[in-house]
């Protein structure tokens, strides 16, 4: 029986176009310009080894961004602030039935805080596991080892993880969790019924 569910953010609880896509369309800052940042330095931010504000100070100038770093971060976080309300509402119903619902996400520290405070997830979920706090991303088994240690009262067999990345789902399964690829809310509902009747 499932007693705790872990939800990814981008592509699952939030379903916006990427920041790079918005920058390209709204400011003409192409993905070719931003690729090096996301491929290298941003990955360090995601595991807490680099500070996003500091990294952007260098790259924003190269991109031709004319505003401040605070303005860039505000633009980034708000343009990706598109929540999957049916799924969030479903999580609230699951919590009412006694099933704990957590966030499990690859995020740097500033957006981690934004998700909790500005997106209101702190009040809608029982906790958040962010790569920037853990030091590993979800394609590394160490991420789920950390989660299992923090939720030590529950065996992995009673946890279900939802992510839009097949790689992350495979790693979670190797760690012993039930895990499913999220594609749509309708698919989520259908698969959840199989867990509820198992």
């Amino acid at each position: 029986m499932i007693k705790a569910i872990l939800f990814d953010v981008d592509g699952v609880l939030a379903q916006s176009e990427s920041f790079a896509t918005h920058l390209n369309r709204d400011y003409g800052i192409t993905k070719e310009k931003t690729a090096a940042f996301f491929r290298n330095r941003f990955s360090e931010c995601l595991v807490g080894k680099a500070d996003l504000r500091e990294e952007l100070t260098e790259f924003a100038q190269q991109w031709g961004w004319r505003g401040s770093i605070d303005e860039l971060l505000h633009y980034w976080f708000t343009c990706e602030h598109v929540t999957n309300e049916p799924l969030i509402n479903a999580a609230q119903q699951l919590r009412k039935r006694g099933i704990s619902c957590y966030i499990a996400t690859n995020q740097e520290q500033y957006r981690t805080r934004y998700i909790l405070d500005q997106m209101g997830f702190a009040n809608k979920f029982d906790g958040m596991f962010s790569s920037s706090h853990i030091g590993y991303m979800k394609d590394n088994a160490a991420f789920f080892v950390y989660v299992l240690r923090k939720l030590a009262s529950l065996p992995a067999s009673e946890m279900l993880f939802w992510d839009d990345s097949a790689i992350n789902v495979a790693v979670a399964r190797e760690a012993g969790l039930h895990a499913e690829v999220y594609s749509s809310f309708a698919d989520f509902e259908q698969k959840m019924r199989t867990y509820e009747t198992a």
Side-chain angles (χ1 to χ4, degrees):
M1 182 177 176
I2 299 300
K3 295 184 178 178
I5 302 180
L6 308 169
F7 294 93
D8 177 34
V9 175
D10 296 304
V12 181
L13 293 172
Q15 296 191 312
S16 68
E17 294 179 302
S18 71
F19 170 55
T21 297
H22 281 276
L23 269 180
N24 189 11
R25 184 177 58 237
D26 297 343
Y27 291 96
I29 299 173
T30 67
K31 292 185 179 181
E32 288 73 24
K33 283 186 177 180
T34 59
F37 167 74
F38 285 109
R39 189 168 52 245
N40 298 308
R41 298 308 301 161
F42 185 57
S43 296
E44 295 293 294
C45 297
L46 288 173
V47 292
K49 293 182 179 179
D51 185 285
L52 183 61
R53 287 181 185 275
E54 295 174 6
E55 298 301 325
L56 282 177
T57 299
E58 174 188 349
F59 282 92
Q61 187 174 12
Q62 295 176 12
W63 297 345
W65 175 260
R66 298 183 181 279
S68 67
I69 297 303
D70 283 341
E71 288 169 334
L72 181 57
L73 287 175
H74 177 76
Y75 168 73
W76 182 342
F77 299 163
T78 55
C79 74
E80 290 190 338
H81 188 151
V82 181
T83 53
N84 184 347
E85 289 303 317
L87 185 59
I88 292 170
N89 291 336
Q92 305 319 297
Q93 294 305 311
L94 289 164
R95 293 177 74 200
K96 288 179 181 178
R97 290 166 42 199
I99 299 172
S100 300
C101 291
Y102 297 91
I103 301 164
T105 182
N106 293 336
Q107 301 290 340
E108 58 75 40
Q109 61 173 323
Y110 298 114
R111 188 156 182 255
T112 292
R113 179 49 54 191
Y114 181 91
I115 288 167
L116 289 172
D117 296 344
Q118 303 305 315
M119 294 177 74
F121 283 10
N123 297 322
K124 295 176 181 177
F125 293 89
D126 295 290
M128 182 174 186
F129 297 102
S130 172
S131 60
S132 61
H133 295 158
I134 295 172
Y136 299 97
M137 289 194 281
K138 289 178 291 181
D139 60 357
N140 188 319
F143 182 98
F144 295 100
V145 169
Y146 179 94
V147 171
L148 291 170
R149 188 167 67 245
K150 288 296 183 179
L151 302 180
S153 63
L154 292 175
S157 61
E158 294 181 354
M159 299 182 196
L160 172 60
F161 171 62
W162 285 93
D163 199 293
D164 62 328
S165 164
I167 293 173
N168 295 342
V169 166
V171 173
R173 287 174 177 169
E174 289 174 6
L177 287 75
H178 297 282
E180 299 288 347
V181 175
Y182 185 90
S183 58
S184 69
F185 183 67
D187 181 67
F188 168 82
E189 287 187 304
Q190 180 178 353
K191 288 178 178 174
M192 282 301 299
R193 283 193 286 271
T194 67
Y195 283 101
E196 290 167 3
T197 57

